[in-house]
Amino acid sequence: MLSKNWWKILSAICLLYAFIAGFLGSVPAKPILHETIRNLYFHVAMWFCMMIYFIVSVVYSIKYLRNSNPKNDVYALEFANAGILFGVLGLTTGAVWAKYTWGAFWSNDPKQLGAAIALLIYFAYLVLRNSIADVDKRARIAAVYNVFAFFMLFPTIWIIPRLMESLHPGGMGNPALNSQDIDSRMRPIFLLGAVPGWALLGTWITTLRIRLKFLEEKKLSNA
Amino acid sequence: MHKKLSRILFTIFASLLTLPSWAQDSADKAQMAGVMRSNGKIYVVVAVLVIILLGLLFYLVRLDRKISKMEKN
């Protein structure tokens, strides 16, 4: 039991660390940001998780294209779902944060637009899947599309926003992670607490969905 | 294999040691929520968030158990 579930406990410990140290720990005093700098542990962690899940998803899609095992298609779908969930959370938390630092929920900033386009491309993945009735065809086309969607992440969230003037920090490097934005008091809480904690929590939810999906399929094939 | 692993772990550990020296910037004094923290009310927020987190984790554990039970049948 414990040998298989240790990472779920680790997720709880990391998240508790991020929640408690995230609010009680000291943070650098920055103009405009003030205490909202603590959003780093939550808002930025969402994007880290989104990227992790999309990477896992595309790996399973490529696996599916190599061996046509329907299990890989389920894994790819559910990890894409988790990525979309965390991406939407990242976008909405970013909008709230922007309201109180940049002055508006949405200011057509290159980073906001890029993230929105990237998510729309992934929404299309779900729509495309559901528009194909044949199971094998659906899995194959969805896997090919997922590879395309993954590579669209690079221009939309990694390259173009960094080339353009933006209100968002990190135009000249990694957003919110260079030494001008946070310091050594925040980095361990973010990298050892928030990111692994959220990433494992999302993985846990995803594995539950995958198991449920397999149960459904088993039930259908028995009926 | 074992040597490689210990080397990687040592590298991670050593890079963690350098964390405090990464940034010693002196930003302009921005106004922080000093009063709220000195009154200790921030602990209320932490308590609420920890309760929510524990509640969600508990819910997930229950769901996990339920699915495990279904898988056994």
Side-chain angles (χ1 to χ4, degrees):
Chain A
M1 207 309 238
L2 198 68
S3 58
K4 252 174 82 182
N5 291 325
W6 60 272
W7 56 276
K8 295 169 185 169
I9 298 162
L10 183 68
S11 161
I13 293 168
C14 287
L15 279 176
L16 282 173
Y17 170 49
F19 271 62
I20 296 169
F23 286 98
L24 298 181
S26 61
V27 293
K30 299 272 178 194
I32 303 170
L33 281 176
H34 303 181
E35 296 284 354
T36 70
I37 197 168
R38 295 175 198 276
N39 274 348
L40 176 94
Y41 306 129
F42 306 97
H43 164 75
V44 183
M46 294 296 116
W47 295 111
F48 270 62
C49 293
M50 181 194 83
M51 201 57 211
I52 292 168
Y53 301 142
F54 283 161
I55 291 171
V56 175
S57 175
V58 79
V59 166
Y60 277 109
S61 276
I62 293 168
K63 264 187 164 173
Y64 177 81
L65 290 174
R66 286 170 67 98
N67 62 15
S68 296
N69 183 348
K71 270 191 176 168
N72 289 328
D73 181 52
V74 174
Y75 275 84
L77 167 66
E78 292 304 344
F79 273 103
N81 267 328
I84 290 168
L85 170 68
F86 278 73
V88 169
L89 288 174
L91 208 60
T92 42
T93 52
V96 174
W97 198 0
K99 171 71 183 167
Y100 298 99
T101 46
W102 307 347
F105 285 110
W106 195 267
S107 38
N108 282 338
D109 187 82
K111 284 206 170 63
Q112 288 181 324
L113 288 173
I117 293 167
L119 282 175
L120 285 173
I121 291 170
Y122 270 94
F123 285 148
Y125 168 72
L126 300 180
V127 174
L128 178 73
R129 284 189 70 93
N130 290 331
S131 65
I132 303 167
D134 183 77
V135 181
D136 293 321
K137 214 177 191 179
R138 176 202 298 158
R140 185 161 294 271
I141 293 173
V144 172
Y145 182 85
N146 195 20
V147 175
F148 162 78
F150 179 74
F151 283 99
M152 280 305 287
L153 285 174
F154 289 90
T156 53
I157 72 171
W158 290 101
I159 302 169
I160 294 172
R162 277 178 172 70
L163 296 176
M164 295 169 78
E165 286 281 319
S166 170
L167 294 161
H168 196 286
M172 297 297 158
N174 292 319
L177 278 185
N178 53 36
S179 50
Q180 281 144 33
D181 296 319
I182 66 170
D183 69 8
S184 53
R185 288 168 290 177
M186 295 185 75
R187 205 170 266 113
I189 301 173
F190 179 70
L191 292 176
L192 301 176
V195 171
W198 286 116
L200 290 173
L201 186 79
T203 308
W204 187 1
I205 296 170
T206 307
T207 55
L208 289 180
R209 283 185 62 108
I210 291 167
R211 286 159 68 189
L212 208 58
K213 195 132 205 171
F214 287 152
L215 279 173
E216 269 171 19
E217 275 169 16
K218 210 169 122 191
K219 210 171 171 189
L220 276 178
S221 60
N222 284 347
Chain B
M1 182 60 207
H2 201 73
K3 223 174 179 181
K4 210 173 172 187
L5 193 71
S6 61
R7 225 175 267 167
I8 293 168
L9 283 175
F10 179 75
T11 313
I12 294 169
F13 177 70
S15 52
L16 285 177
L17 283 181
T18 66
L19 278 175
S21 62
W22 275 16
Q24 302 283 340
D25 55 333
S26 53
D28 297 346
K29 269 268 177 264
Q31 198 166 9
M32 304 299 271
V35 182
M36 182 178 83
R37 297 180 67 77
S38 67
N39 282 346
K41 294 267 169 80
I42 186 71
Y43 294 104
V44 182
V45 182
V46 175
V48 167
L49 281 168
V50 167
I51 290 168
I52 291 178
L53 181 65
L54 289 177
L56 285 174
L57 288 171
F58 178 71
Y59 184 81
L60 270 182
V61 169
R62 291 280 306 271
L63 195 60
D64 199 322
R65 291 236 171 102
K66 219 173 232 176
I67 292 175
S68 297
K69 224 184 239 170
M70 280 167 76
E71 277 167 341
K72 269 183 200 137
N73 294 332

